[in-house]
Amino acid sequence: MATKIGLWMDERQALIVSVTNMSAKITKVKSVIKDEMFAVNAVSGDSGAKQDPAAAHRNRIKIKKALDPYYDGIIDNIWDAREMFIFGTGEAKYELKNRLEKSDLARRIVVIEDTDKMDDYQIIDKMSQYCSAGLIAPSL
């Protein structure tokens, strides 16, 4: 059965809409990323302080390690996709694409698109438009 996947994501969560024969299933995958992990580490508390390069580097490593299981969880949920439409904010969608290039899944990506933050219904509507069918929104 051909499955089309609509995937909205950022570094904090992914909403996956799997469409098969006009029925849809929604799956959410959350990362363990916290807002403070994105905070810039500074040498002092004043606003003109210079960034601490070592602290910034440690923070990037911490974020990467925190995102590894998140990307794995997404891949577990899109494995059977025939076509994928990936959209969202930030760089997470491109990092996922890089991971998918290590497997057969990357060739199934139809579109990667930058979008603003969207709520669940906007994501379903976008996927519905992508499938060019009157997809009825499943319960969330």
Side-chain angles (χ1 to χ4, degrees), residues 47-109:
S47 61
K50 294 184 179 179
Q51 293 181 0
D52 177 358
H57 178 72
R58 286 190 306 272
N59 200 39
R60 281 191 301 275
I61 291 170
K62 184 178 178 182
I63 289 171
K64 183 186 178 325
K65 285 183 179 179
L67 288 174
D68 284 342
Y70 170 61
Y71 293 127
D72 291 342
I74 292 170
I75 291 169
D76 288 345
N77 283 284
I78 63 174
W79 198 254
D80 63 344
R82 191 185 94 220
E83 295 179 343
M84 286 184 276
F85 179 68
I86 302 173
F87 48 101
T89 63
E91 296 299 313
K93 61 192 165 296
Y94 299 112
E95 176 61 29
L96 179 67
K97 179 182 181 269
N98 290 339
R99 287 171 177 261
L100 295 176
E101 285 175 349
K102 297 174 186 174
S103 70
D104 186 38
L105 289 174
R107 67 177 180 77
R108 300 177 195 175
I109 298 171

Side-chain angles (χ1 to χ4, degrees), residues 16-62:
I16 302 163
V17 180
S18 304
V19 180
T20 308
N21 291 340
M22 298 311 299
S23 67
K25 174 185 164 196
I26 295 177
T27 306
K28 288 186 181 184
V29 178
K30 293 193 179 242
S31 76
V32 296
I33 294 291
K34 305 277 189 254
D35 287 337
E36 55 271 9
M37 291 177 92
F38 287 107
V40 176
N41 295 305
V43 175
S44 72
D46 68 89
S47 61
K50 294 184 179 179
Q51 293 181 0
D52 177 358
H57 178 72
R58 286 190 306 272
N59 200 39
R60 281 191 301 275
I61 291 170
K62 184 178 178 182

